[in-house]
Amino acid sequence: MSEIKLEPPKKLFIKTYGCQMNVYDSERMAESLEGYVQTDRADDADMILLNTCHIREKAAEKVYSELGRLKPLKELNPDLKIGVTGCVAQAEGAEIMRRQPAVDLVVGPQSYHRLPQMEARVRKGLTALDTDFPEEDKFEHLKGRKKMQRAPAAFLTVQEGCDKFCAFCVVPYTRGAEVSRPADKIIREAQELVERGVREVTLLGQNVNAYHGGMTLAELIRALGRVDGLERIRYTTSHPNDMDDDLIAAHADTPKLMPYLHLPVQSGSDRILKRMNRSHTAESYLRLIERIRAVRPDIMMSGDFIVGFPEETEADFQATMDLVAQVNYGYAYSFKYSTRPGTPASERPQVDPVEADERLQRLQALISRQQYAIQESMVGRDLSVLVEKAGRNAGQMLGKSEYLHSVHIDNATAQIGDVVRVRCTRAMTNSLTAVEI
Ligand code: SF4
């Protein structure tokens, strides 16, 4: 009887750029390709996927230069297939294959559930392009989570796309209109993740608090709070206008919901907020923070800021500095305005780049001072840490506190996946040191 010769698994290399949702998408894309195992070396791969981000200027150029670096690998291995996925794939489409013929497939974030068929097509020597916003829900066509042990913290997409159309942002064009996944599917995926060792999920959405998949986000969080084995819940990224009273109340009545909230505001100037089409004022944002802190006084606030937005004056910038000083952020991400093709702001007169750089440095200096002062205020306090991996030093474990601080636990007895009580002993620039109590 002839022996069945099993094909060795092919190797898949995925390079992920950008946001947490791209990290999640890369995981789902890897899981959707039967017969592949992942490799962390491009020169060892049979398929290379670049999962791209389009949020900042030159994003597309970065992808083309990366493709230029990968092209020679195809000369060494003619069976190698190269694909571009994510938001640059969505924005550029066929242009990618025109500019770089070494690319075999291009697929957008809304249609990567068709990757298996596209892979079969390119294995026949054809190319494949798909940047549709398909009617069907891609999650219905993606297989369940792969049966493998996982890290204790995982991302879980619950909503995609955005209807806000902020004047600087490409997301509504690359990710499309807001779509919420059915709550029962999300709860099942969370249960699948818990069965594989996950103890914490971060619910993802470009506008996550606009979630409406048969439940509101607050109701979904409470439902997930009843999943056995799931210890901690977070969510990101929120818009101030969708922080309703019930979601704020969930921060008080759902113990598994962590006291950390990422709530971008972008500017402290009402004039600029208007020109950004953010549909709220600095005052309403500050009132909202007060209402959130009223129900959860220890909540760690995180924000996003853009400096040098078209026509921003020194007075506008000062309003941003004043807002940051008032909120006192544990974390804040700040960037110089970046022209995005096709967005309303890209047509407007730009701020002098030197001026914008100088403002960014002043803002980042303020944010670092705030962040470090909050880190220092943790010394002597008791925290709860989800242990994620072994630390560099012997007997040291590394994890995240409920406030999302990185915590090094010395002389740890806790194992990966445990949630332990610790006392903070020291604050460093970006992390804390602690001992178990
Ligand atoms: S809310 Fe966020 S994702 Fe939506 S358009 Fe504005 S910046 Fe972009």
Side-chain angles (χ1 to χ4, degrees), residues 16-291:
T16 304
Y17 302 80
C19 66
Q20 295 128 323
M21 194 171 286
N22 263 10
V23 173
Y24 176 86
D25 288 345
S26 291
E27 280 182 17
R28 299 308 302 261
M29 286 194 273
E31 289 174 2
S32 75
L33 288 171
E34 286 292 347
Y36 279 84
V37 291
Q38 278 189 263
T39 173
D40 53 13
R41 290 184 35 219
D43 60 0
D44 181 30
D46 302 293
M47 165 84 83
I48 293 176
L49 294 179
L50 301 183
N51 191 13
T52 60
C53 168
H54 202 26
I55 212 78
R56 249 166 274 296
E57 199 161 6
K58 304 195 180 60
E61 290 320 309
K62 260 199 219 139
V63 173
Y64 287 117
S65 46
E66 180 72 20
L67 289 169
R69 276 191 293 279
L70 293 172
K71 187 167 174 246
L73 292 178
K74 259 195 145 174
E75 278 126 34
L76 297 172
N77 170 9
D79 294 335
L80 170 64
K81 300 301 176 190
I82 298 179
V84 177
T85 68
C87 293
V88 173
Q90 188 65 41
E92 301 267 306
E95 174 66 5
I96 294 173
M97 288 199 257
R98 190 192 66 70
R99 280 186 58 178
Q100 182 45 269
V103 172
D104 303 285
L105 74 85
V106 172
V107 59
Q110 298 320 328
S111 39
Y112 69 66
H113 57 293
R114 299 171 177 165
L115 203 50
Q117 297 92 314
M118 297 175 85
E119 191 270 348
R121 190 178 153 77
V122 299
R123 285 287 160 213
K124 296 192 193 105
L126 304 167
T127 60
L129 168 68
D130 191 331
T131 53
D132 285 358
F133 286 101
E135 283 303 309
E136 79 263 18
D137 169 357
K138 76 175 172 221
F139 292 99
E140 289 306 308
H141 299 268
L142 283 168
K143 286 198 289 306
R145 303 311 308 259
K146 224 174 199 162
K147 297 189 175 21
M148 62 191 194
Q149 203 47 29
R150 300 184 50 96
F155 296 130
L156 178 40
T157 290
V158 301
Q159 180 267 357
E160 283 192 270
C162 186
D163 301 342
K164 302 281 188 212
F165 290 92
C166 299
F168 52 82
C169 184
V170 290
V171 170
Y173 312 99
T174 57
R175 290 269 178 177
E178 288 170 10
V179 176
S180 293
R181 295 180 63 193
D184 59 338
K185 299 278 165 41
I186 295 166
I187 294 165
R188 182 151 353 104
E189 186 171 338
Q191 287 159 338
E192 284 178 1
L193 291 169
V194 166
E195 282 153 22
R196 288 171 203 123
V198 169
R199 294 288 164 268
E200 174 181 301
V201 290
T202 299
L203 308 179
L204 299 180
Q206 269 87 29
N207 206 12
V208 72
N209 54 351
Y211 175 80
H212 51 272
M215 285 182 190
T216 64
L217 184 63
E219 290 159 350
L220 176 64
I221 287 168
R222 293 191 186 98
L224 288 167
R226 293 187 288 275
V227 171
D228 287 343
L230 185 63
E231 313 272 349
R232 302 159 68 129
I233 301 164
R234 302 179 191 275
Y235 60 92
T236 196
T237 296
S238 300
H239 191 284
N241 291 357
D242 295 311
M243 283 302 294
D244 61 28
D245 291 348
D246 195 31
L247 184 54
I248 294 174
H251 280 280
D253 64 34
T254 310
K256 291 184 180 180
L257 180 58
M258 294 294 103
Y260 167 89
L261 177 59
H262 182 57
L263 194 61
V265 64
Q266 309 299 355
S267 172
S269 152
D270 288 351
R271 194 179 76 88
I272 295 296
L273 286 169
K274 195 160 179 38
R275 299 192 67 65
M276 284 178 165
N277 189 31
R278 292 288 292 175
S279 321
H280 66 79
T281 63
E283 189 57 27
S284 67
Y285 179 83
L286 291 168
R287 295 287 79 67
L288 176 59
I289 302 267
E290 268 174 29
R291 284 169 41 220

Side-chain angles (χ1 to χ4, degrees), residues 152 385-389 397-399 409 414-420:
V385 171
L386 170 63
V387 178
E388 292 182 343
K389 57 186 174 187
M397 295 301 271
L398 193 55
I409 308 171
Q415 300 305 306
I416 292 175
D418 292 350
V419 176
V420 284

